[in-house]
């Protein structure tokens, strides 16, 4: 319903019209992905990583050229999800300079990794050297095998 058609052009009625239109749009997009989901999916797809397994640890390796430690965040969510995220900001333009071509990606990035059961989330280290971030997650020691319990047999 368009309230402007009946001559109600005041700001109050145009705000009401906007609210009614937004309510109609929200009903149509119940199954559509949210903007946050789409943004996170794009950020994850644009952040390639290598994962290596060593005898005592796992290593997650991601290229991070030109980033400072303050631009990178390493977290553990839900006790077993390693999240590596951050933001690569565009360089400030100097007066008189303009981009002729811009191919390097800027913006947010993120990767999530479900850690294996034997990952020790209390022993995680991260180092960024020569533009390569390496996150090392130590493994828990293997459980000791149970020794059989001997029960003494008594004679009655």
């Amino acid at each position: 319903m368009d309230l402007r058609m009946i001559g109600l052009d005041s700001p109050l009625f145009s705000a009401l019209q906007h609210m009614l239109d937004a309510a109609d749009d929200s009903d149509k997009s119940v199954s559509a992905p949210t903007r946050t989901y789409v943004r996170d999916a794009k950020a994850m797809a644009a952040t390639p990583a290598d994962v290596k397994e060593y005898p005592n640890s796992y290593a997650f390796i991601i290229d991070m050229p030109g980033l400072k430690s303050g631009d990178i965040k390493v977290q553990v969510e839900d006790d077993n999800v390693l999240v590596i995220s951050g933001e690569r900001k565009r360089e400030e333009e100097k007066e008189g300079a303009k981009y002729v071509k811009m191919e390097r990606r800027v913006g947010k990035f993120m990767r999530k990794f479900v850690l294996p059961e034997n990952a020790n989330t209390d022993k995680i280290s991260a180092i960024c050297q020569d533009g390569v971030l390496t996150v090392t997650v130590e493994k828990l020691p293997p459980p000791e095998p149970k020794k059989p319990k001997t029960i003494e047999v008594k004679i009655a």
Side-chain angles (χ1 to χ4, degrees), residues 4-31:
R4 292 179 294 264
M5 292 179 68
I6 53 176
L8 301 173
D9 287 332
S10 76
L12 175 66
F13 286 112
S14 67
L16 180 59
Q17 176 67 39
H18 179 70
M19 288 171 42
L20 290 170
D21 290 343
D24 289 344
D25 291 344
S26 67
D27 293 341
K28 295 174 188 171
S29 64
V30 170
S31 63

Side-chain angles (χ1 to χ4, degrees), residues 43-132:
M44 288 178 71
T47 309
D50 294 337
V51 181
K52 292 182 182 179
E53 182 177 5
Y54 294 100
N56 296 320
S57 65
Y58 297 97
F60 300 85
I61 303 155
I62 300 176
D63 290 337
M64 301 279 171
L67 292 179
K68 299 175 185 128
S69 63
D71 298 332
I72 304 167
K73 191 186 310 183
V74 178
Q75 299 173 304
V76 176
E77 294 178 347
D78 302 325
D79 293 329
N80 72 334
V81 179
L82 178 68
V83 180
I84 301 169
S85 62
E87 184 172 6
R88 179 174 284 121
K89 297 177 182 153
R90 184 181 311 229
E91 295 176 8
E92 292 193 21
E93 293 185 28
K94 296 178 181 155
E95 194 170 322
K98 65 178 183 175
Y99 283 101
V100 175
K101 191 173 203 173
M102 188 171 170
E103 294 181 343
R104 295 183 303 155
R105 196 174 89 65
V106 294
K108 296 187 181 215
F109 61 87
M110 175 181 52
R111 279 305 300 266
K112 291 185 177 187
F113 304 94
V114 176
L115 295 172
E117 288 183 21
N118 67 340
N120 187 349
T121 56
D122 294 328
K123 299 235 177 161
I124 297 177
S125 63
I127 186 166
C128 194
Q129 183 177 0
D130 297 330
V132 178

